[in-house]
Amino acid sequence: MTDLLGAVVPDHVSWVQTRQDRGGDDLFPQEEAAVANAVAKRRTEFAAVRWCARTALARLGVPPAPILPGERGAPGWPDGIVGSMTHCAGYRAAAVARRGPVRTIGVDAEPAAALPDGVLDAIALPEEAAMVARLAAARPDVPWDRLLFSAKESVYKAWFPVTGTFLQFHEARLHIDGRTGEFTAQLLVDGAIDRFTGRWHCGGGLVLTAIVA
């Protein structure tokens, strides 16, 4: 499988991806309890993405431990670790690093397809919608609306662990560079962070975005 996540995270971040689902045999009892009432699809996604996370953590020398969903579903990482997990149809991945060199991570994967009708209007600032239109005219091979959505998801995943506060889609203004594979996010609310820089990639039927700050 192409190193999709490796295209958007730096070398000092440990990451693992898979297109294979796994059963719940790898889950800790506390994790099994967290999804005891979930549908089968949710359970398999939950198990697969935690297998990715524990495999990535092992590469940092971190022993296996439960990774439980906390407030707003944010994963509870072992002490001294920051990370992010993502899953979409046919893809699961996790990226982790030691706290200190890295303050926060946000990663997101989405199918490389246009957003459903009405979603772009719900998530994009007027200037972002205009940017998406310009990018689509120049490079129609990339689903720029979906990429914007993914980048905003990565922004939130990187923002929440640092601030502990919710972030609306319209509270970050994004600029996507269609040539360099980079994007920037200007946070429009008061907080510990006012700007993120990230990377994006489109390939293998997916769009991926990542912030490592």
Side-chain angles (χ1 to χ4, degrees), residues 73-168:
W77 298 105
D79 289 344
I81 296 295
V82 296
S84 183
M85 301 188 293
T86 186
H87 55 78
C88 66
Y91 184 80
R92 293 81 170 89
V96 296
R98 295 199 176 275
R99 187 185 304 276
V102 178
R103 186 182 188 189
T104 189
I105 298 175
V107 299
D108 187 71
E110 302 286 337
L115 289 171
D117 290 345
V119 175
L120 181 63
D121 292 340
I123 69 161
L125 296 165
E127 55 268 46
E128 292 172 333
M131 173 190 67
V132 165
R134 291 194 302 270
L135 289 167
R139 284 193 59 186
D141 57 309
V142 176
W144 297 104
D145 57 347
R146 182 77 69 164
L147 200 155
L148 176 68
F149 177 86
S150 176
K152 290 198 173 223
E153 287 287 305
S154 286
V155 168
Y156 174 73
K157 290 179 179 182
W159 163 270
F160 184 79
V162 176
T163 66
T165 59
F166 187 68
L167 188 72
Q168 301 283 354

Side-chain angles (χ1 to χ4, degrees), residues 21-24 27 30-51 67-76 85-88 91-92 157:
D21 275 333
R22 306 176 67 85
L27 293 179
Q30 304 97 310
E31 294 171 330
E32 290 182 355
V35 290
N37 297 321
V39 299
K41 178 176 181 293
R42 168 63 177 152
R43 288 176 58 85
T44 55
E45 291 172 345
F46 186 93
V49 79
R50 276 158 178 76
W51 174 84
I67 304 170
L68 299 175
E71 187 179 359
R72 295 191 178 274
M85 301 188 293
T86 186
H87 55 78
C88 66
Y91 184 80
R92 293 81 170 89
K157 290 179 179 182

Side-chain angles (χ1 to χ4, degrees), residues 1-5 15 17 91 201 204:
M1 178 170 54
T2 304
D3 292 343
L4 298 171
L5 192 56
W15 59 272
Q17 63 185 5
Y91 184 80
H201 176 71

Side-chain angles (χ1 to χ4, degrees), residues 8 106 131 147-148 150-155 173-178 180-186 195-201 208-212:
V8 292
M131 173 190 67
L147 200 155
L148 176 68
S150 176
K152 290 198 173 223
E153 287 287 305
S154 286
V155 168
R173 180 187 297 115
L174 272 66
H175 173 75
I176 300 171
D177 192 316
T180 65
E182 297 180 346
F183 66 90
T184 58
Q186 184 71 37
R195 181 183 174 89
F196 282 126
T197 299
R199 293 196 58 81
W200 65 267
H201 176 71
L208 294 96
T209 58
I211 292 168
V212 178

